[in-house]
Amino acid sequence: MKRSLYTIFATLLIVGCATGEVDTANSSGDTQSQASSAANESQSESLPESDVQQIETSESSTASLPFDDLEIIPGEKFSFITANTSRQALAEQVGEDQLVDEDVHIGEGFMEPGTAVNLGDYSFKIVWSDDSRTTPLEIREVGSAWQLPGDIQLGMSFSELKETLGEFEIFGLGWDYGGTVMLDNTVLDAHSSDLILRMHPAAGTAQTYSDDFFAVSGDELFESTNPHFTPLEMTLEDIVVYLN
């Protein structure tokens, strides 16, 4: 894993309208029903913009996907995408309207040709081998709904990841590849060369607990048992799945 990582580093979210029974023979009941409906409509219109956005995001996350396969096997496939899936095949599967070609940052200032697949919580980006976009190298910036083997997904806490993987080594914080988990000798040892999991401290903890942060920073490996990680409230924020 160490050799593979260093090689890679170098080259590279409803408003419910409750309706009761309406007695159609009772005109006052009709009036109450209409009043209730108007009140609910007014409540919806007066929702703060942030709440409306949250509702839209929730609906989007439960929308039907253009594919049924949600399986991820690092080194082999990410859903329907394999090492031989072209940009054209991608568009045929998910629809051109969901795709945006763009350069993707892969670390330390390096950019590579990519395609963003916009599917709400199931979004992801593909990094291609070149501008022809015929050979996918890796999948990164995955949405929060995707799950790796062992139900690993974005947002997992440091302790939750340790429960799944067992103890592991992790690169020090404070640089582009900081927080990268070494999968060697864990339950994902077989994928140590084709999967990257990267942890980050919770917002503000690096400043509040600066002594702890600096104690586990830098381009060196630390044990996951190191107590300085605890106050930093680390969570899993980056997943990279290699295909080629």
Side-chain angles (χ1 to χ4, degrees), residues 21-35:
E21 291 184 5
V22 177
D23 184 354
T24 57
N26 189 327
S27 60
S28 64
D30 288 341
T31 302
Q32 285 183 338
S33 177
Q34 294 169 0

Side-chain angles (χ1 to χ4, degrees), residues 75-89:
E76 296 182 22
K77 57 176 291 190
F78 183 95
S79 180
F80 65 92
I81 302 170
T82 69
N84 300 312
T85 302
S86 67
R87 170 64 168 74
Q88 180 179 351

Side-chain angles (χ1 to χ4, degrees), residues 204-217 228 231-232:
T205 58
Q207 292 76 30
T208 304
Y209 303 99
S210 57
D211 289 344
D212 293 288
F213 178 81
F214 287 114
V216 287
S217 291
H228 291 291
L232 300 177

Side-chain angles (χ1 to χ4, degrees), residues 173-185:
L173 309 175
W175 59 302
D176 277 5
Y177 304 119
T180 299
V181 175
M182 305 298 289
L183 299 177
D184 306 82
N185 303 314

